[in-house]
Amino acid sequence: MSLTTHRGFTLPSIGLGTYKLRGAAGAEAIANGINSGYTLLDSAYNYENEGTVGEGLRASASGRGNVIVTSKLPGRYQRHDDALTCVQESLYRLNLENIDLYLIHWPNPGQGLYVEAFKALLEARESGLISHVGVCNFLPEHLEAVHDATGEYPEVNQIELNPYFPQTEALAYNSERGIVTQAWSPLRRGGELFSEPVITSAAERLGVSAAEIVLAWHAAIGSLPIPKSATPARQLANLAAVNLELTSDEVAAITALGRPDGRLKDQDPAVYEEF
Ligand SMILES: NC(=O)c1ccc[n+]([C@@H]2O[C@H](COP(=O)([O-])OP(=O)(O)OC[C@H]3O[C@@H](n4cnc5c(N)ncnc54)[C@H](OP(=O)(O)O)[C@@H]3O)[C@@H](O)[C@H]2O)c1
C-alpha cells in the first residue's frame, strides 16, 4: 500500500524515523534500514543528524537510489531568507543536491511566521533545492492560512498520532485535501501501550509483537508511521507489520484507546512552540 498527495507524490506505507540516530552507529543503522527495504527517511535540521543520514545513504547498497529523504525547518529559521539558507545548509550537511521532502517542523503560531516560511519553501521547490513541501504539527487553521496565502496545501502533515491519541479528525481533514498524514512517535516510544489487552490479544492471534500490531493499525487507518529503530530485527519486523491484516473490530478497539491526554508530552501545536 502507498499514499499519494494532491500533487501526485507517492509515499511508501512506512518510513524510518531517525531522531537520536547519530554518528557512526547511527549511519550504520540507517544504511541497514535502507538495505532492509526502507525507502523513506525522516530527519530534521534540529536532530543534528542530517550528516549521519547522508552517510547512511552513501554506505547503503543502493546509495541515494529511490530513497525519499526528509528534513525539517526549525522554528528559529522561519523568516524567508533564513529558511532558504537553512535548506541550503541541510543540503550541505546531507551532501545532496536535492531534498525530496522538506517540512516546517512546528507552526509556532505565536511567532506568526509560518506562512512566510511556507512561501520560502515553495520558492526552494521552484529552484529545485527541494521537491516537495510539507509541514508538521499543523492544525486546520494553520493549513487554511497557508492555503489562503498561496492557493496550495502542504503535501504532508506529520503529526503526533498513536492509539492513545488517534487524531481521527485530523486524519480525515488532511485526507480530504490530498495531504498525506505521517505519524510521529507512532509507537509512543513503547511503554504501557504495548500492554493494552486489545493490542496483546491481536498480537497473540497473529503471532507478532505489540509494536507490529500498532504499526498495522496505523496502516489500517491511513496513517503513515515513521517508527525509529536502531535494531535490525525490529526494523525488518516494522516494515512487514504494515502488511498485517487486522480485523475491523481490532482496528476499532485500538482506536477506542484514544483519550484526551494521549499525547506523549503536552505539545499542543496551538500553543507549544519549538525553535
Ligand atoms: N515532527 C515532529 O515534531 C516529530 C516529533 C517527534 C518525532 N518525530 C519523528 O518520528 C520518529 C519516530 O518517533 P520516536 O522516535 O519519537 O518514537 P517511536 O518511533 O514511537 O519509538 C521509538 C522507540 O521504539 C523502539 N522500537 C522500535 N521498533 C520497535 C519494535 N518493533 N518493538 C519494540 N520497540 C521498538 C525503538 O527502540 P530501538 O531503536 O532500540 O529499536 C525506540 O526506543 C522520530 O525518530 C522522528 O524522526 C517527529
Side-chain angles (χ1 to χ4, degrees), residues 60-79:
S60 71
S62 64
R64 179 79 168 91
N66 293 323
V67 178
I68 296 167
V69 176
T70 312
S71 196
K72 312 191 187 86
L73 179 75
R76 67 187 177 285
Y77 294 142
Q78 287 189 350
R79 285 191 189 282

Side-chain angles (χ1 to χ4, degrees), residues 30-260:
I30 289 164
N32 187 79
I34 298 166
N35 292 340
S36 300
Y38 285 87
T39 55
L40 169 66
L41 302 177
D42 182 73
S43 179
Y45 190 93
N46 270 354
Y47 299 169
E48 297 186 332
N49 73 348
E50 291 164 307
T52 300
V53 169
E55 185 57 27
L57 273 172
R58 283 184 293 282
S60 71
S62 64
R64 179 79 168 91
N66 293 323
V67 178
I68 296 167
V69 176
T70 312
S71 196
K72 312 191 187 86
L73 179 75
R76 67 187 177 285
Y77 294 142
Q78 287 189 350
R79 285 191 189 282
H80 174 270
D81 292 2
D82 291 342
L84 291 177
T85 303
C86 185
V87 170
Q88 193 70 66
E89 182 61 27
S90 288
L91 286 164
Y92 293 150
R93 292 179 178 193
L94 282 155
N95 197 10
L96 294 176
E97 291 186 352
N98 164 274
I99 297 171
D100 303 278
L101 179 60
Y102 213 79
L103 314 176
I104 297 175
H105 208 146
W106 285 88
N108 285 10
Q111 262 194 150
L113 291 172
Y114 64 86
V115 171
E116 181 172 331
F118 189 76
K119 286 181 178 167
L121 293 189
L122 292 183
E123 275 180 48
R125 187 182 73 193
E126 275 304 300
S127 61
L129 297 180
I130 62 179
S131 301
H132 300 277
V133 178
V135 298
C136 306
N137 304 303
F138 269 40
L139 300 171
E141 68 220 53
H142 310 131
L143 294 171
E144 294 312 323
V146 296
H147 184 260
D148 287 350
T150 66
E152 221 184 283
Y153 286 110
E155 292 190 72
V156 166
N157 190 10
Q158 185 183 110
I159 58 177
E160 178 169 16
L161 195 167
N162 69 74
Y164 286 155
F165 201 64
Q167 296 260 41
T168 308
E169 286 167 19
L171 255 176
Y173 198 93
N174 291 340
S175 135
E176 282 157 18
R177 286 156 185 79
I179 303 168
V180 168
T181 301
Q182 293 185 340
W184 61 258
S185 298
L187 300 173
R188 212 172 177 273
R189 300 185 181 159
E192 56 172 326
L193 179 62
F194 288 175
S195 308
E196 286 291 346
V198 292
I199 293 177
T200 54
S201 64
E204 206 168 303
R205 181 179 73 77
L206 290 167
V208 297
S209 67
E212 288 161 80
I213 295 300
V214 173
L215 296 173
W217 169 82
H218 279 277
I221 63 167
S223 149
L224 192 169
I226 47 167
K228 172 263 173 186
S229 180
T231 316
R234 286 176 174 175
Q235 288 181 346
L236 266 179
N238 292 353
L239 261 181
V242 288
N243 297 318
L244 293 170
E245 296 227 357
L246 300 179
T247 66
S248 52
D249 284 352
E250 285 168 339
V251 173
I254 296 172
T255 304
L257 294 172
R259 53 194 207 201

